Amino acid sequence: MEVVQQKWRNFKGKLFEKPITEIVENAIVKEQEAGYRLKICVGSDSQGYKSHTAYATAVVVLREGKGGFMFIRSYKEAKKIGIKERMLKEVAMSVEVAYAICDLLNKYNVELEVHA
């Protein structure tokens, strides 16, 4: 089984062809123009199976006091690994995405929370 990388999608399943930086920036601009104060949370999770390990990373955009929405990226890896290595990989995936969007969050004064 080869690694199958998925594109970012929203919770309804709509796929995005753009990188996460553009997706997040478009969302921030739209939501701030609507008057919302935002916070972004990034987190990853995994599940081990007999034949593979499945991973997912979520970027959650929270509107202060008004709910939120998310963007999700998931993929499967052929190799099955132990829980400690999986947990470290989850943290690395979250930090990688957080670094990618960090400058945007500073630019638009949006709080960041990374779940590890």
Side-chain angles (χ1 to χ4, degrees), residues 1 3 12 38-39 42 44 53 58 75 79-80 84 88 91 94 102-104 110 116:
M1 175 187 285
V3 172
K12 293 179 181 178
L38 303 174
K39 178 180 184 179
V42 179
S44 298
T53 304
Y75 77 95
K79 109 179 166 178
K80 185 171 175 7
K84 291 177 185 174
L88 287 171
V91 172
S94 296
C102 191
D103 288 340
L104 286 174
V110 175

Side-chain angles (χ1 to χ4, degrees), residues 6 8 52 60 66 77-78 80-81 83-84 94-96:
Q6 287 191 349
W8 288 95
H52 67 281
V60 181
K66 299 291 182 182
E77 190 173 66
K80 185 171 175 7
I81 58 176
I83 185 71
K84 291 177 185 174
S94 296
V95 168
E96 177 187 7

Side-chain angles (χ1 to χ4, degrees), residues 12-102:
K12 293 179 181 178
K14 177 185 173 191
L15 290 175
F16 294 88
E17 298 293 329
K18 300 176 182 179
I20 192 63
T21 51
E22 279 186 56
I23 297 167
V24 169
E25 185 167 26
N26 292 341
I28 290 171
V29 169
K30 178 182 174 190
E31 297 299 321
Q32 286 185 339
E33 284 177 354
Y36 294 111
R37 184 159 184 251
L38 303 174
K39 178 180 184 179
I40 292 186
C41 302
V42 179
S44 298
D45 198 8
S46 65
Q47 179 68 49
Y49 297 96
K50 288 182 181 178
S51 62
H52 67 281
T53 304
Y55 296 92
T57 300
V59 176
V60 181
V61 181
L62 297 173
R63 301 178 195 108
E64 190 173 272
K66 299 291 182 182
F69 55 94
M70 71 176 81
F71 303 103
I72 306 159
R73 176 183 68 186
S74 57
Y75 77 95
K76 295 177 184 177
E77 190 173 66
K79 109 179 166 178
K80 185 171 175 7
I81 58 176
I83 185 71
K84 291 177 185 174
E85 188 177 350
R86 274 188 19 223
M87 290 173 64
L88 287 171
K89 188 163 185 169
E90 291 171 16
V91 172
M93 291 167 59
S94 296
V95 168
E96 177 187 7
V97 172
Y99 268 122
I101 64 172
C102 191

